[in-house]
mmCIF file of all heavy atoms in Angstrom:
data_model
loop_
_atom_site.group_PDB
_atom_site.id
_atom_site.type_symbol
_atom_site.label_atom_id
_atom_site.label_comp_id
_atom_site.label_asym_id
_atom_site.label_seq_id
_atom_site.Cartn_x
_atom_site.Cartn_y
_atom_site.Cartn_z
ATOM 1 N N THR A 166 25.052 -4.359 6.236
ATOM 2 C CA THR A 166 26.253 -3.691 5.750
ATOM 3 C C THR A 166 26.937 -4.579 4.731
ATOM 4 O O THR A 166 26.601 -5.753 4.563
ATOM 5 C CB THR A 166 27.210 -3.398 6.912
ATOM 6 O OG1 THR A 166 27.530 -4.643 7.563
ATOM 7 C CG2 THR A 166 26.568 -2.456 7.922
ATOM 8 N N HIS A 167 27.919 -4.003 4.041
ATOM 9 C CA HIS A 167 28.703 -4.723 3.044
ATOM 10 C C HIS A 167 27.819 -5.320 1.960
ATOM 11 O O HIS A 167 27.997 -6.455 1.542
ATOM 12 C CB HIS A 167 29.536 -5.837 3.712
ATOM 13 C CG HIS A 167 30.347 -5.353 4.879
ATOM 14 N ND1 HIS A 167 31.347 -4.418 4.750
ATOM 15 C CD2 HIS A 167 30.279 -5.659 6.201
ATOM 16 C CE1 HIS A 167 31.888 -4.174 5.939
ATOM 17 N NE2 HIS A 167 31.241 -4.923 6.830
ATOM 18 N N GLN A 168 26.830 -4.570 1.533
ATOM 19 C CA GLN A 168 25.958 -4.991 0.448
ATOM 20 C C GLN A 168 26.035 -3.951 -0.662
ATOM 21 O O GLN A 168 26.331 -2.778 -0.418
ATOM 22 C CB GLN A 168 24.514 -5.117 0.935
ATOM 23 C CG GLN A 168 24.281 -6.220 1.945
ATOM 24 C CD GLN A 168 24.364 -7.594 1.315
ATOM 25 O OE1 GLN A 168 24.163 -7.752 0.120
ATOM 26 N NE2 GLN A 168 24.675 -8.598 2.135
ATOM 27 N N PRO A 169 25.791 -4.348 -1.911
ATOM 28 C CA PRO A 169 25.842 -3.387 -3.015
ATOM 29 C C PRO A 169 24.833 -2.258 -2.805
ATOM 30 O O PRO A 169 23.731 -2.485 -2.301
ATOM 31 C CB PRO A 169 25.468 -4.245 -4.239
ATOM 32 C CG PRO A 169 25.695 -5.651 -3.830
ATOM 33 C CD PRO A 169 25.464 -5.700 -2.358
ATOM 34 N N ALA A 170 25.220 -1.063 -3.196
ATOM 35 C CA ALA A 170 24.335 0.091 -3.038
ATOM 36 C C ALA A 170 23.196 0.009 -4.047
ATOM 37 O O ALA A 170 23.356 -0.468 -5.175
ATOM 38 C CB ALA A 170 25.119 1.387 -3.225
ATOM 39 N N LEU A 171 22.026 0.483 -3.645
ATOM 40 C CA LEU A 171 20.879 0.569 -4.540
ATOM 41 C C LEU A 171 21.128 1.691 -5.544
ATOM 42 O O LEU A 171 21.533 2.793 -5.181
ATOM 43 C CB LEU A 171 19.630 0.862 -3.713
ATOM 44 C CG LEU A 171 18.304 0.909 -4.448
ATOM 45 C CD1 LEU A 171 17.967 -0.452 -5.022
ATOM 46 C CD2 LEU A 171 17.202 1.369 -3.498
ATOM 47 N N GLN A 172 20.907 1.409 -6.836
ATOM 48 C CA GLN A 172 21.206 2.385 -7.873
ATOM 49 C C GLN A 172 19.955 3.010 -8.481
ATOM 50 O O GLN A 172 19.784 4.219 -8.487
ATOM 51 C CB GLN A 172 22.033 1.733 -8.987
ATOM 52 C CG GLN A 172 23.387 1.237 -8.527
ATOM 53 C CD GLN A 172 24.138 0.536 -9.624
ATOM 54 O OE1 GLN A 172 23.721 0.547 -10.786
ATOM 55 N NE2 GLN A 172 25.254 -0.086 -9.287
ATOM 56 N N LEU A 173 19.059 2.177 -9.000
ATOM 57 C CA LEU A 173 17.931 2.695 -9.761
ATOM 58 C C LEU A 173 16.759 1.736 -9.619
ATOM 59 O O LEU A 173 16.930 0.519 -9.605
ATOM 60 C CB LEU A 173 18.313 2.834 -11.239
ATOM 61 C CG LEU A 173 17.488 3.770 -12.116
ATOM 62 C CD1 LEU A 173 17.609 5.208 -11.636
ATOM 63 C CD2 LEU A 173 17.951 3.675 -13.562
ATOM 64 N N VAL A 174 15.539 2.286 -9.513
ATOM 65 C CA VAL A 174 14.320 1.492 -9.378
ATOM 66 C C VAL A 174 13.310 2.002 -10.394
ATOM 67 O O VAL A 174 13.131 3.212 -10.552
ATOM 68 C CB VAL A 174 13.730 1.595 -7.956
ATOM 69 C CG1 VAL A 174 12.447 0.780 -7.847
ATOM 70 C CG2 VAL A 174 14.748 1.143 -6.922
ATOM 71 N N CYS A 175 12.654 1.085 -11.081
ATOM 72 C CA CYS A 175 11.593 1.450 -12.032
ATOM 73 C C CYS A 175 10.297 0.778 -11.604
ATOM 74 O O CYS A 175 10.265 -0.426 -11.330
ATOM 75 C CB CYS A 175 11.961 1.015 -13.452
ATOM 76 S SG CYS A 175 10.660 1.365 -14.676
ATOM 77 N N ILE A 176 9.214 1.554 -11.530
ATOM 78 C CA ILE A 176 7.879 1.044 -11.257
ATOM 79 C C ILE A 176 7.053 1.269 -12.516
ATOM 80 O O ILE A 176 6.833 2.413 -12.917
ATOM 81 C CB ILE A 176 7.217 1.762 -10.061
ATOM 82 C CG1 ILE A 176 8.162 1.782 -8.850
ATOM 83 C CG2 ILE A 176 5.898 1.107 -9.711
ATOM 84 C CD1 ILE A 176 8.526 0.420 -8.322
ATOM 85 N N GLU A 177 6.604 0.185 -13.149
ATOM 86 C CA GLU A 177 5.879 0.281 -14.418
ATOM 87 C C GLU A 177 4.510 -0.378 -14.299
ATOM 88 O O GLU A 177 4.390 -1.505 -13.803
ATOM 89 C CB GLU A 177 6.671 -0.387 -15.540
ATOM 90 C CG GLU A 177 5.971 -0.333 -16.892
ATOM 91 C CD GLU A 177 6.755 -0.991 -18.003
ATOM 92 O OE1 GLU A 177 7.816 -1.581 -17.709
ATOM 93 O OE2 GLU A 177 6.312 -0.915 -19.159
ATOM 94 N N ALA A 178 3.475 0.324 -14.751
ATOM 95 C CA ALA A 178 2.128 -0.254 -14.812
ATOM 96 C C ALA A 178 2.047 -1.114 -16.067
ATOM 97 O O ALA A 178 2.094 -0.599 -17.189
ATOM 98 C CB ALA A 178 1.079 0.847 -14.839
ATOM 99 N N VAL A 179 1.945 -2.426 -15.894
ATOM 100 C CA VAL A 179 1.974 -3.343 -17.031
ATOM 101 C C VAL A 179 0.596 -3.871 -17.400
ATOM 102 O O VAL A 179 0.433 -4.514 -18.436
ATOM 103 C CB VAL A 179 2.938 -4.528 -16.753
ATOM 104 C CG1 VAL A 179 4.363 -4.033 -16.625
ATOM 105 C CG2 VAL A 179 2.525 -5.286 -15.486
ATOM 106 N N ALA A 180 -0.407 -3.623 -16.566
ATOM 107 C CA ALA A 180 -1.775 -4.040 -16.879
ATOM 108 C C ALA A 180 -2.734 -3.159 -16.107
ATOM 109 O O ALA A 180 -2.420 -2.692 -15.015
ATOM 110 C CB ALA A 180 -1.994 -5.515 -16.505
ATOM 111 N N GLY A 181 -3.911 -2.912 -16.700
ATOM 112 C CA GLY A 181 -4.908 -2.092 -16.034
ATOM 113 C C GLY A 181 -5.037 -0.719 -16.664
ATOM 114 O O GLY A 181 -4.432 -0.433 -17.712
ATOM 115 N N PRO A 182 -5.787 0.171 -16.021
ATOM 116 C CA PRO A 182 -6.066 1.488 -16.608
ATOM 117 C C PRO A 182 -4.820 2.328 -16.897
ATOM 118 O O PRO A 182 -4.845 3.150 -17.796
ATOM 119 C CB PRO A 182 -6.946 2.162 -15.533
ATOM 120 C CG PRO A 182 -7.547 1.031 -14.772
ATOM 121 C CD PRO A 182 -6.530 -0.047 -14.758
#
Side-chain angles (χ1 to χ4, degrees):
T166 58
H167 309 297
Q168 294 288 336
L171 184 65
Q172 297 177 8
L173 200 63
V174 179
C175 177
I176 310 298
E177 180 180 5
V179 295

